Amino acid sequence: MSEVWRAHDRTLDRTVALKILSPTADLQRFRREAQALAALTHENVMRVYDYGEDEGVPFMALEWLPGGTLEDRLPQGPMPPDETHRVAQGIAAGLAHLHARGLVHRDLKPANVLFDEEGRPKLGDFGLARHVAGSGTLTEAGTMLGTAAYISPEQASGQPAGPASDVYSFGVILFRLLTGTLPFVADDALALANMHVREPPPAVETLQPAAPPELAGLAAAALRKDPAERPADGAALLSALGAAPAARAVAETEATQVLPATAEETRLLPAAAAQSEWSRRRKATIAAVALVLLAAGGGVLAWAITRPASTTPNGGLSTSAHRRTHAGTTQATQTATSAPSTTTPTTATRHTTTAATTSPATTTPSTTAPTTTQGTTTTTTTTTTTTTTSSTTTSPTSPGTTAATGAT
């Protein structure tokens, strides 16, 4: 036997159910329950937080479930169909989780179905739970374990229990939810166990004609005497209730598994193949860059062809000429300047060196006559020179300088 206390975990600041083993209780059974719970993680199974001993007294810290037990909730009469279906589905989901991990509860009854604060049913009290695979039987021959009102025929006969044994206990619970009573009633536990072994259960419809047919049929199937004729396990019950078992999560106690190789696995390429792959990617990159540069060059060329030509405001070039004579050297500078535009002004410079002997010249009187051009009055001076002899020598030109030969 054991005692359950409500306690507070000061480290994690939460309420827990503290289960303490009494001095006369079975220590191996207590440890077995802790191990069974530690291997389970499901929303319809009570969780275990810790296990240990304090001053030689074993204890377990369990999930606190404030909603009470199913035994506390059973009314004096049938439970509403929707609520019956919801509770039955939660119990079946918990059993499916146990059975998928090779565990059998062996003591399923309303007192071991508890509710959390959201009304979710959870399986608890795994003191009799055992693994299906093992060196010995789940129930030793001639020994009856479990509560008599919900015990399966094979357990009552002292035979090994399996997942179908939990299915039978589920059938008894469902029968009670639908009808408000048990399928077998007796004052003596042994007489009650014998009824499970030998007597057929009454039909749900005879006690509750308004019971949903699918639930009544599931209760009848689960209460069959032969385990092979019942739904095989919790997953089969869950399927009959219209739900699929949850995908199996990897338990913390399971060994890490190496997954088999697939067709999508990473492969190591030989050196030659890797070099070829690198060369192919390099060529593709160069081709892409060339296409980008070609497109950019085409855009610039199109802009240069289609842009408007630059002109001067006066429709031509403006020319200014400066002449300076000093020590027999004549320098003529002509500057051609385009009207405001983006073209850089171009300057042409002519350097003419004249080494000459000029004889006295006779100059005749000049005549000046006014000339009018496009609205501008220009004075033209005509000078007649009778004798002029000159010799001109052209000096070397520098890059960008235009050399010219002329007579002055």
Side-chain angles (χ1 to χ4, degrees), residues 42-398:
H42 193 272
E43 64 178 2
N44 294 113
V45 177
M46 176 188 288
R47 292 178 293 173
V48 59
Y49 296 139
D50 195 13
Y51 173 84
E53 293 185 5
D54 182 49
E55 297 181 356
V57 179
F59 70 89
M60 273 190 292
L62 302 168
E63 178 182 9
W64 172 253
L65 300 174
T69 68
L70 180 58
E71 186 68 44
D72 300 331
R73 292 192 172 198
L74 286 176
Q76 298 299 321
M79 183 176 283
D82 291 344
E83 183 69 5
T84 297
H85 186 277
R86 185 186 71 83
V87 172
Q89 194 173 77
I91 297 173
L95 289 177
H97 185 72
L98 265 68
H99 297 161
R101 283 148 186 80
L103 287 172
V104 180
H105 193 286
R106 300 201 303 171
D107 193 22
L108 185 63
K109 57 186 178 183
N112 289 339
V113 178
L114 299 93
F115 293 87
D116 61 13
E117 62 277 3
E118 297 178 356
R120 183 185 296 109
K122 291 175 178 279
L123 303 184
D125 197 350
F126 287 77
L128 295 183
R130 292 289 295 271
H131 282 277
V132 174
S135 58
T137 60
L138 297 178
T139 304
E140 291 75 9
T143 303
M144 182 178 67
L145 296 177
T147 304
Y150 299 89
I151 197 171
S152 67
E154 57 271 22
Q155 287 175 279
S157 302
Q159 300 300 315
S165 303
D166 288 341
V167 170
Y168 186 92
S169 300
F170 170 88
V172 178
I173 293 175
L174 182 57
F175 187 97
R176 186 177 175 187
L177 292 176
L178 292 171
T179 64
T181 186
L182 290 167
F184 305 106
V185 179
D187 295 333
D188 183 74
L190 290 177
L192 185 58
N194 189 57
M195 294 175 69
H196 282 290
V197 173
R198 302 182 182 279
E199 296 185 13
V204 171
E205 295 84 347
T206 60
L207 301 175
Q208 183 53 252
E214 64 278 6
L215 294 179
L218 181 59
L223 289 173
R224 289 173 182 159
K225 304 301 181 183
D226 186 354
E229 295 180 358
R230 305 172 199 153
D233 51 20
L237 292 174
L238 200 57
S239 178
L241 291 167
R248 180 178 178 180
V250 178
E252 296 180 359
T253 56
E254 295 183 3
T256 302
Q257 298 179 353
V258 179
L259 297 178
T262 63
E264 301 298 329
E265 64 178 343
T266 303
R267 295 176 300 162
L268 295 178
L269 297 176
Q275 180 66 22
S276 176
E277 178 68 13
W278 178 86
S279 178
R280 184 185 65 79
R281 293 184 180 181
R282 182 172 177 270
K283 290 179 181 179
T285 302
I286 293 175
V289 172
L291 289 176
V292 172
L293 293 177
L294 184 61
V300 172
L301 180 62
W303 173 82
I305 293 175
T306 58
R307 72 184 182 90
S310 175
T311 59
T312 62
N314 295 329
L317 298 175
S318 60
T319 305
S320 59
H322 303 278
R323 176 169 297 179
R324 182 177 59 188
T325 304
H326 179 70
T329 301
T330 303
Q331 183 181 35
T333 304
Q334 182 178 16
T335 304
T337 305
S338 176
S341 67
T342 59
T343 306
T344 304
T346 303
T347 304
T349 306
R350 293 186 302 172
H351 295 276
T352 305
T353 303
T354 305
T357 302
T358 305
S359 60
T362 304
T363 303
T364 60
S366 60
T367 304
T368 302
T371 302
T372 303
T373 303
Q374 295 181 356
T376 303
T377 302
T378 305
T379 302
T380 305
T381 303
T382 304
T383 304
T384 303
T385 305
T386 57
T387 304
T388 303
T389 304
S390 64
S391 174
T392 305
T393 302
T394 304
S395 62
T397 62
S398 61

